[in-house]
Amino acid sequence: MDVWWTSGGHLLNIQQMVMNQEIDKFPIKDLPSRYNIGRSALYERFKHANIKANKEGTRSFVSGEQLEELDRLHNHLKRGGTFEDFEALLTQEFTENSQEAISLNSSPDSPVDVHRTSSWEAEREALEVLIDAIASGIERVAINRIQSVNPIGYMGQLKMAAEEGWLLTTSEVKELIKVKPHTRKGEDTYRRGSWLFTKAGKIGRETAWRVAKEETGNDN
């Protein structure tokens, strides 16, 4: 057996060195069981962590640095955090190849059909966006058309959204109040002045917010 001697006289064999190198190549197929999630959830985590899958032949894997980032996102979500308030450290861009790698290297216990391709996923995502646009497009267009130079003009728009029961995206709320809405751990409501913004699901990839005016008790 081939062996190597370190400067301190310690013996290392070639097999051990290879094992150390393999730590930096964690198979994608083992990620769902590592985090106890399905392929779709893993797909979302790759996007929000800016993870681009690596491939060697038919093998798909993440590097040690990417695995650390996925672990950090996992711990963030376990502590009650969301994708929206997670700040990714990596600058790599999620690609269709990454999505395909997840699809083809899912664990055998994954409840999702592993034969679905990245093309199918792209079509599904486009359909979801179209449905969201049909469901909420009219409300959002109406709000965007109501523009005013009045510094408190946004109050009227918020009042309209509250009375009509419209759901606003995070970017739409930010455009109106000039601050990105956020919540503390364990809470679903953000307060800004006399307005309350409560999380109400998703609109596309953004958080949806329901608007309400806070009762002050002085409206008699």
Side-chain angles (χ1 to χ4, degrees), residues 182-184 186-192 195-199 209-210:
H182 60 277
T183 60
R184 296 179 180 178
E187 297 181 359
D188 292 322
T189 300
Y190 172 73
R191 179 179 288 100
R192 181 74 173 177
W195 297 97
L196 299 177
F197 303 87
T198 304
K199 290 183 179 181
W209 299 87
R210 189 179 303 280

